Amino acid sequence: MKGPQEFPLRQYSATTIVRYFRSRPWEVVWRALQILWWMGGFVLAMQFDHWLGQEEANKHVRATHLRQTLTRLGPTFIKVGQALSTRPDLIRKDFLNELTKLQDQLPPFPNQIARAIIEQELGQTPEEIYSTFSVDPVAAASLGQVYKARLFSGEEVAVKVQRPNLLPTICRDLFLMRWAAGWLGWFLPLNLGHDLTLIVDEFGIKLFEEIDYLNEGRNAERFATNFRDDPHVKVPEIYWRYSTQRVLTLEWINGFKLTDTERIKQAGLNSDELIEIGVTSGLRQLLEFGFFHADPHPGNLFAMPDGRMAYIDFGMMDQLSQETKETLVDSLVHLINKDYELLAADFVGLGFLTPDSHLASIIPALDKVLGDALGAKVSEFNFKTVTDQFSELMYDYPFRVPAKFALIIRSLVTQEGLALSLNPDFKILDIAYPYVSKRLLMGESPSLRRRLLEVLFKDGQFQWARLENMIAIARSDRSFDLLPTAGLGLRYLLSEEGDYLRREILLALTEDNRLHTEEVQRLWALVKDDISPTRLLGVAWGALADYSIDRAAAVVPVVADLRSAFQAEPR
């Protein structure tokens, strides 16, 4: 087989891979026999369980058998197992739980080969590039291994070296998987089988991105730019002079894995604050930036001695379009409102359901799974429990999990698991709810302001309890300052865009032929401790000062409408 530097492919192309290996059948026969031997043993064991009526008794044994089989088959299949661990539309629940334990680890390859790859890629020996270079790797994973080194300029660095012959090995496995998917799909349920080849292609695209270390470096810099104003998040610097597609030199991170609770405690770090940093930064990635770290496992997140959280390993990232981000917020709003009809439509927009799906039959199932979860207190909500319940719908309804959302689900479940290792009483929505409420209340964009209206109005009625609840939840976030948000709200109300909301609020204040003074008093009691008269006057003056004489005319109808409303109040 050609060496990696000669292999004619650097970006995933199914047609190129098929064309290359079809003309070289001898290169795939032995690998196919290996896969058949190990996977055949697993399938045969499953069949024996079926014949002997021991499927239920041995289901956990078989799940472990599957995990061990994938590990034996090497890097590509380890990545397959990790990808399948977030695909309830493809894998049954007991297998899912076991595959989440799949370790991204293999024995290290020989140091002399790693050194030869560095010299081949960078044109110099490690001694010529680094003043010190660890004798053995400090970590070994399925795609490469990491050495600790120091540059001659004094900076401590981590040097990632890719496994030898990795690219042709992965392509050969992808060729065989794609070939198997072509005929295996006919034996699977309709909602699964026809997508198998597409799923292999989605997997191949992400895997190719992950093994390109230059792409990883670009991802890291983009991630760092997004969080440049966040003092709680650390991203290692990339040293481009000493980086190629197969070697990456980046800043060494001194810290503790988030699962190392003992060292975190000894360092005097606040575990709850680390959890808050992790969850909030994860939500910002999804709902603000649309560019997210899709593999936040314990080896990729570190607690630093100064209290910051460091992200490393940016090979597995993904991007959400603006439309997808907005649909995500829509689905969240519809979930809060328990509007399962619109939520089902959101699932179509997000790709979980096809446009021709019969939504009327799906809505009761969503109500059953999600209604119970939302009916519980926020403190009792568990994300993994909900995803487990949701996975049970996959075989009864035509759901599939788009690749992007498989990564998102994996990210959220992993982060919740890490948080629970730091604090067993942690509930993800204790942090997520305040963040989302704050985002909606601030209404930084027209789309967010529209979604706030959907939350606050239902069937034409203003939902006082929802507004009260959102403010209470948002205030539980220590960093949330209500006054700037009030200023944004006042500016919006005085604007042309805010005309509709201004009139709807006036109607809400006077509906049922009375002023809703009790509701207003409850809201004031909720916020008065955060709003001093001086600060409140400053915010109001600032909002009015933003308006020219032309805009100041917008205040007139507000005053007139309020006057009319008070005059209409029965005495």
Side-chain angles (χ1 to χ4, degrees), residues 165-357:
N165 217 32
L166 183 65
L167 182 60
T169 299
I170 285 174
C171 288
R172 183 183 57 192
D173 287 344
L174 289 172
F175 169 79
L176 290 168
M177 288 177 192
R178 208 170 187 279
W179 170 77
W183 57 264
L184 188 60
W186 295 103
F187 301 96
L188 295 176
L190 288 177
N191 64 310
L192 304 183
H194 292 310
D195 288 331
L196 270 187
T197 303
L198 176 61
I199 289 170
V200 172
D201 288 340
E202 290 173 344
F203 171 72
I205 290 169
K206 299 311 298 180
L207 191 53
F208 263 64
E209 291 177 358
E210 191 172 358
I211 64 175
D212 182 353
Y213 286 170
L214 291 178
N215 179 66
E216 179 177 343
R218 290 190 291 269
N219 286 340
E221 290 200 336
R222 181 178 176 185
F223 193 90
T225 299
N226 287 343
F227 283 95
R228 62 187 178 278
D229 298 326
D230 191 330
H232 305 297
V233 175
K234 168 66 178 175
V235 180
E237 180 183 351
I238 305 298
Y239 294 90
W240 291 107
R241 183 179 175 184
Y242 309 112
S243 299
T244 69
Q245 286 187 317
R246 294 201 296 150
V247 175
L248 181 65
T249 302
L250 64 161
E251 179 183 358
W252 180 264
I253 295 295
N254 286 306
F256 323 106
K257 289 184 179 181
L258 289 188
T259 48
D260 194 347
T261 54
E262 192 58 38
R263 293 187 67 189
I264 288 175
K265 188 182 299 183
Q266 290 174 359
L269 298 177
N270 187 315
S271 59
D272 287 344
E273 289 181 1
L274 289 171
I275 291 171
E276 186 170 348
I277 293 169
V279 174
T280 303
S281 62
L283 289 168
R284 293 191 70 194
Q285 291 168 53
L286 291 174
L287 299 180
E288 288 184 44
F289 310 130
F291 182 65
F292 64 96
H293 195 298
D295 194 22
H297 66 69
N300 290 341
L301 289 173
F302 285 81
M304 300 182 69
D306 59 7
R308 289 182 295 172
M309 180 178 290
Y311 283 82
I312 66 170
D313 194 347
F314 296 89
M316 191 180 294
M317 307 290 291
D318 213 336
Q319 174 72 46
L320 298 178
S321 66
Q322 183 62 30
E323 181 182 0
T324 301
K325 285 194 298 180
E326 292 183 2
T327 307
L328 271 176
V329 178
D330 278 340
S331 63
L332 181 66
V333 169
H334 298 147
L335 187 61
I336 292 172
N337 290 351
K338 296 189 177 184
D339 192 335
Y340 299 113
E341 184 175 351
L342 290 177
L343 184 61
D346 293 333
F347 280 141
V348 173
L350 294 171
F352 285 88
L353 294 166
T354 59
D356 58 353
S357 298

Side-chain angles (χ1 to χ4, degrees), residues 416-566:
E416 185 176 60
L418 285 172
L420 288 170
S421 71
L422 291 171
N423 179 359
D425 297 323
F426 164 76
K427 300 298 176 185
I428 194 167
L429 290 193
D430 285 347
I431 296 170
Y433 263 40
Y435 171 81
V436 174
S437 294
K438 179 175 67 174
R439 289 273 290 156
L440 286 172
L441 285 169
M442 290 178 70
E444 300 132 328
S445 67
S447 61
L448 281 176
R449 290 193 286 270
R450 178 173 63 81
R451 286 161 179 83
L452 176 61
L453 291 181
E454 289 185 31
V455 173
L456 295 182
F457 289 92
K458 184 176 182 180
D459 299 328
Q461 300 292 310
F462 190 82
Q463 304 298 302
W464 291 97
R466 284 184 185 172
L467 177 59
E468 188 176 340
N469 190 43
M470 286 183 70
I471 293 174
I473 290 170
R475 287 179 69 246
S476 67
D477 180 346
R478 294 188 300 273
S479 65
F480 180 64
D481 188 349
L482 185 63
L483 265 183
T485 301
L488 286 171
L490 185 55
R491 286 179 173 87
Y492 175 60
L493 283 175
L494 294 176
S495 70
E496 185 177 346
E497 183 189 352
D499 180 68
Y500 170 78
L501 179 59
R502 187 169 64 238
R503 297 185 183 280
E504 288 298 313
I505 289 177
L506 288 169
L507 288 173
L509 282 168
T510 58
E511 66 185 353
D512 300 327
N513 244 355
R514 70 180 184 87
L515 277 174
H516 286 247
T517 52
E518 292 180 10
E519 289 87 345
V520 174
Q521 287 172 353
R522 280 204 309 271
L523 286 175
W524 176 248
L526 187 65
V527 304
K528 65 181 181 180
D529 292 339
D530 295 338
I531 301 180
S532 67
T534 304
R535 289 190 70 202
L536 182 60
L537 183 61
V539 167
W541 179 254
L544 290 171
D546 282 347
Y547 288 83
S548 62
I549 294 176
D550 293 336
R551 288 184 176 181
V555 181
V556 176
V558 178
V559 175
D561 288 340
L562 279 173
R563 182 180 178 184
S564 299
F566 275 93

Side-chain angles (χ1 to χ4, degrees), residues 106-120 124-127 130 133-140 144-148 159-164 247:
L106 283 179
F109 58 90
N111 292 318
Q112 60 268 29
I113 294 180
R115 296 168 67 85
I117 291 173
I118 292 173
E119 185 172 0
Q120 178 185 358
Q124 294 176 290
T125 65
E127 288 75 20
Y130 310 103
F133 192 85
S134 60
V135 176
D136 295 312
V138 295
Q145 56 198 39
V146 180
Y147 294 85
K148 185 176 182 179
V159 184
K160 291 182 64 172
V161 185
Q162 196 172 102
R163 286 187 176 274
V247 175

